[in-house]
Amino acid sequence: MIFHEKNNSLIPLIIFMIMMCLIMSTMNSFLKSTISYSTVGTIIDKEYRKSTFITHQRYQFKVSFIDKVGGKDEESVEWIDVTPTEYENYDIGDKYEDSSRDG
């Protein structure tokens, strides 16, 4: 009988947790619908890191994107790993497309 009473006290907690998950999911969907991520940005920096005994060599662009957040333009800056060929073919100031940002 004691085991049955403990299970009954967990039911409201479980229901509360499920409701919180549903609310968070709804809020996340709403926020995603108010943000429009740009897939084309401007390269503002380039970096090459030599490999060490711990790390691999890396080619990266620092790209500035202008996203629409709640109807307003907002800048976001990201470091993006690129191939050696891309690193050689693009210069600072060039436009760069990153389709992985297509949200």
Side-chain angles (χ1 to χ4, degrees):
M1 195 68 170
I2 293 173
F3 180 73
H4 180 69
E5 290 174 12
K6 285 183 179 180
N7 281 343
N8 284 340
S9 65
L10 288 177
I11 291 174
L13 179 62
I14 292 170
I15 291 172
F16 175 76
M17 294 300 289
I18 290 171
M19 287 177 52
M20 290 304 294
C21 289
L22 290 172
I23 290 169
M24 299 276 283
S25 176
T26 303
M27 289 175 61
N28 188 31
S29 295
F30 174 74
L31 289 174
K32 280 186 175 179
S33 68
T34 62
I35 299 173
S36 176
Y37 293 101
S38 174
T39 58
V40 178
T42 304
I43 298 171
I44 58 176
D45 198 2
K46 292 171 66 171
E47 186 173 276
Y48 167 71
R49 293 184 189 172
K50 289 184 178 181
S51 60
T52 66
F53 65 97
I54 298 174
T55 63
H56 297 267
Q57 67 182 7
R58 293 180 80 170
Y59 295 89
Q60 293 182 312
F61 292 152
K62 187 176 186 180
V63 182
S64 170
F65 296 96
I66 303 297
D67 303 323
K68 288 273 187 207
V69 179
K72 296 182 180 180
D73 289 345
E74 198 170 288
E75 180 184 28
S76 62
V77 178
E78 296 180 18
W79 281 100
I80 300 170
D81 290 318
V82 295
T83 65
T85 303
E86 287 177 310
Y87 186 84
E88 292 300 321
N89 290 339
Y90 288 90
D91 292 317
I92 294 174
D94 289 348
K95 297 290 182 194
Y96 182 77
E97 183 171 0
D98 181 17
S99 59
S100 69
R101 294 187 92 240
D102 194 15

